[in-house]
Amino acid sequence: MTFTRSIKIAPSILSADFADFGREIEAIEAQDCDWVHVDVMDGHFVPNLTFGPPLVKAIRRHVTTVMDVHLMIAPVDPYIEAFAEAGADIITAHAEAGPHTHRTLQAIRATGAKAGLALNPGTPASVAEPLLDMVDLICVMTVNPGFGGQKFIDSQIEKIRQLRAMIGDRPVHIEIDGGVTPETAPRVAAAGADVLVAGSAVFKGGSVADPAPYGANIRAIRKAAETATQAAAE
Ligand code: DX5
Ligand code: ZN
């Protein structure tokens, strides 16, 4: 994985057919997504349950791009090793998951995976400041984590701007998760985001039998974001 700030689209398989993850992943990759975003929820840190390391390991062999694993679980430390063994390229933990975020990030990097830090909408950008040299990615939650299909929270745009300034030249991605659509993508891209997670906006209208809408949706989000990035650079 070479670092670049170009726009990357990471479909969240939370919006895929849970009985057919292998083919769903193959379909979104064939439709030119950049990363595959995997949402792990524990029914405790967030009010929803998804899946654990065995499923992540089973789908790994279908991923040829980058497997981006978002852990919405607390505690998180006892499970880091298992998700690394399952083949995660990036493991993102929440700043709110426990009192020892620094230790958690160290533990993630010790496995050889890239380390991500996710911030809930109510958590300020300043929480990330002492940790900037320990992370490869900061995930700005633009919904309260737990469910797909929620409305984008506007107040997070300013936080993205603050993080982009704070990061400077460091090779740290800014990922946006929640409510990303062709309408919201330009705003987050202009504020400094480079990885756009999208669940419902990618999977809507398509299926493994008819994957062309996935491609059209991915292209629409990418184009909207890239146009805004270019305009911001001019
Ligand atoms: C929310 C998850 C997201 C979710 C995004 O808790 O972390 O990755 O799937 O879904 P959309 O794009 O539908 O808001
Ligand atoms: Zn996510």
Side-chain angles (χ1 to χ4, degrees), residues 12 14 37-41 68-72 94 139 141 145 175 177-178 197:
S12 162
L14 191 62
H37 185 83
V38 179
D39 285 310
V40 176
M41 304 186 184
D68 173 32
V69 177
H70 178 193
L71 299 182
M72 286 161 274
H94 269 261
C139 173
M141 293 304 306
E175 176 177 77
D177 192 0
V197 174

Side-chain angles (χ1 to χ4, degrees), residues 115-174:
L117 175 66
L119 305 178
N120 278 337
T123 302
S126 57
V127 165
E129 198 152 22
L131 304 166
L132 289 176
D133 291 316
M134 306 195 57
V135 294
D136 301 288
L137 175 150
I138 296 177
C139 173
V140 178
M141 293 304 306
T142 40
V143 298
N144 285 299
F147 303 95
Q150 302 182 80
K151 193 179 172 303
F152 182 88
I153 300 173
D154 287 315
S155 60
Q156 302 306 300
I157 297 278
E158 181 52 29
K159 190 155 97 188
I160 299 166
R161 265 192 217 109
Q162 290 167 1
L163 285 164
R164 184 64 197 91
M166 218 185 260
I167 286 168
D169 293 334
R170 293 178 181 84
V172 177
H173 298 290
I174 297 182

